[in-house]
Amino acid sequence: MFRQHLQLHSPQVDSLLLVVLGGALMGWLSPQVWTFQGNLPITPQSLIVVLWGVLWGWQVGTAAVALYLVAGGLGAPVFAGGASGWIHFTGSTAGFLLAFPIGALAAGWLAELVTQMRYGASAMLLLLGQLIIVVLGLGYQRGIIPVEVSFFDSVLDLLLPLLVKAALGTLVVVFVGRGLTGHKPASEGS
């Protein structure tokens, strides 16, 4: 978590700026749909939602997710594929949307406990936050839509894309961390 390394204005103004920036990034990236593993559509939603909490802490991350969800509910085309509206909070995607703040809160809170954000720690936090979203989202979805595939197999089908997103997010965490802290990797051979 790098919140303490960012000091542009007062802590309150900085937090507000990060919440608005996070909501805007979520709104910009989340409608994108990537095709992965055959025809399985994957969105960066869960990654950016969890990443914001890992980078800036649970309060900023959860508030940015709330802003994003309210914007989408009010009609901004920010959900997967450019969808919007409160109807998405009642259908098969509702569990995933409602799990976003929980994933951001959990990953952000745990990130605040990590004394030094390294590759492994950030990857595990990003993966954990996304797994929370997937487990809660699939649990809700299966409660309203009968599925013949086992819950475990459904999670397993999503594991590789989650690992790829966690790896991408880890790179972002490392670059942001190095940019804010001035940390340079030790050069080999010196």
Side-chain angles (χ1 to χ4, degrees), residues 135-159:
V135 167
L136 293 174
L138 284 175
Y140 180 88
Q141 188 178 53
R142 288 168 168 271
I144 61 173
I145 299 173
V147 179
E148 293 190 21
V149 177
S150 75
F151 188 83
F152 179 76
D153 285 340
S154 294
V155 173
L156 199 56
D157 285 345
L158 295 172
L159 190 56

Side-chain angles (χ1 to χ4, degrees), residues 19-32:
V19 167
V20 171
L21 178 61
L25 281 172
M26 288 173 206
W28 175 56
L29 291 172
S30 294
Q32 299 179 25

Side-chain angles (χ1 to χ4, degrees), residues 3 6-20 59-60:
R3 180 66 191 89
L6 184 69
Q7 297 174 353
L8 302 173
H9 302 285
S10 70
Q12 295 82 6
V13 171
D14 289 349
S15 291
L16 180 62
L17 289 173
L18 287 171
V19 167
V20 171
Q59 291 175 321
V60 168

